[in-house]
Amino acid sequence: MLNDVASGDHQALASLYDHIARLVYANVRRALDDPIWADTVVEEAFVEVWQQADRFDPSHTPAVIWILDLAHQLAAEHNRSDEPQVAAVPATSPSREPHVSHVIGARR
């Protein structure tokens, strides 16, 4: 499924979100006391998945572990700061990220 996400398939991202967002949230929630920050980190994690899916190597780790690790890293960054870490939106592909937020936001 991450291959489809890497190729820009919005539906694949939506399907991936539907399948594992609760698991990602549960893991992030263990690291963060605030459920609002946990929601933010989960959204950031899926933006990172969208941006980095082409870097995923299935021979190295299962996809769900890779995604959980991304989310864990973002939660750890948040814990080290007073402000949430917002995923950077590259200027080279502006048409992709707004849709990512829309897909994720519509499924909460």
Side-chain angles (χ1 to χ4, degrees):
M1 188 177 301
L2 278 176
N3 288 335
D4 295 333
V5 173
S7 69
D9 184 340
H10 298 133
Q11 187 57 38
L13 178 67
S15 180
L16 181 64
Y17 183 87
D18 289 343
H19 282 95
I20 67 167
R22 287 185 178 153
L23 175 63
V24 175
Y25 177 83
N27 280 277
V28 168
R29 188 67 175 90
R30 285 187 207 124
L32 300 175
D33 291 333
D34 187 334
I36 294 172
W37 288 128
D39 279 340
T40 300
V41 168
V42 170
E43 183 173 336
E44 291 171 9
F46 278 91
V47 170
E48 289 290 320
V49 167
W50 180 253
Q51 293 173 342
Q52 297 183 32
D54 60 339
R55 297 180 190 164
F56 170 68
D57 180 0
S59 69
H60 180 66
T61 187
V64 68
I65 301 300
W66 182 76
I67 294 166
L68 289 171
D69 186 55
L70 283 174
H72 176 78
Q73 290 174 28
L74 290 168
E77 287 175 16
H78 172 73
N79 277 335
R80 287 190 294 267
S81 72
D82 293 332
E83 296 293 322
Q85 299 296 312
V86 177
V89 178
T92 58
S93 61
S95 64
R96 291 182 73 180
E97 278 61 40
H99 188 72
V100 171
S101 295
H102 175 71
V103 167
I104 292 169
R107 286 177 153 58
R108 284 195 198 166

